[in-house]
Amino acid sequence: MQLRQMPFRLLRAAVFAVVAVTASLLLHLWSGGHAPGPPQFAAAVGLVFAAAYAAGGRQRGFLTLAPLCLAAQWGLHEFFEAGAQAATHAHGAGWSMWLVHIAAAFAQASWLARGDAALAALLELLTLFFARVVRVLGVNARIAVRPRRLLPRTRVPRPLAAVRTAISRRGPPRLAFS
C-alpha cells in the first residue's frame, strides 16, 4: 500500500481541505472577519480539496507544505473577504488578520507533515504485518514487499592509523591491581 494510491490520496486531500478551511475560517472570524455562508464554505472546501488532490501525489514534508498552506490561507482569506464584500460587510485586512493566517499556515503545515508521515508509517507496518500473516498461514500468494533500508543516523568514526598503533590493548588495566 502506498500513499499515492487512490483511497489514501483522497483521504489525505480531504483531511487537508477540512483542516485548512476550518482553521482559516475560525481564525478569520477570531481576528474580526465576516463568516461566509454554507455554500461559500462548501465551495472553499471543494477548491482546496481539488488543489490538495493535485499536489498529493507523494508524501510531503514541512518545507513543502508550508508554502502550500500559506497559499491556501491567502486564497481562503481573499475568498472569505470577497464573500463579505458581496454581503456588504467588508472588513480591513490588518496586521492581526495576516499574522493569524500566517500562524495558522505554519501550524497546519507542521500538523499535516507529521500526520502524513504517521500515515505512511502505519501503512508500511500494516503491509508488513499482513505479509507476515500470509506467510505464517501458508497461503501461496505472492506479496510484493519492499522493506525500507534503515541507515544509521550517526557514523562511527574510523580510527586513524597513527592512533591505532599508539593504543595498546594488551593486559589488564593499570588500576586493576592497585
Side-chain angles (χ1 to χ4, degrees), residues 33-140:
H34 175 68
Q40 189 178 9
F41 180 78
V45 170
L47 288 172
V48 173
F49 176 81
Y53 183 79
R58 64 183 176 92
Q59 184 177 351
R60 309 284 183 190
F62 176 79
L63 294 177
T64 306
L65 286 173
L68 294 174
C69 288
L70 282 169
Q73 288 295 319
W74 177 76
L76 288 169
H77 169 79
E78 293 299 323
F79 193 71
F80 293 153
E81 193 169 299
Q85 289 173 357
T88 65
H89 291 97
H91 65 279
W95 283 103
S96 66
M97 179 74 71
W98 287 112
L99 289 176
V100 164
H101 281 296
I102 289 170
F106 286 134
Q108 282 174 250
S110 174
W111 184 78
L112 289 169
R114 289 180 182 186
D116 212 18
L119 179 63
L122 177 67
L123 289 176
E124 185 174 334
L125 287 173
L126 285 174
T127 301
L128 293 174
F129 172 76
F130 285 117
R132 177 150 308 196
V133 167
V134 167
R135 284 186 200 139
V136 167
L137 293 177
V139 178
N140 290 330

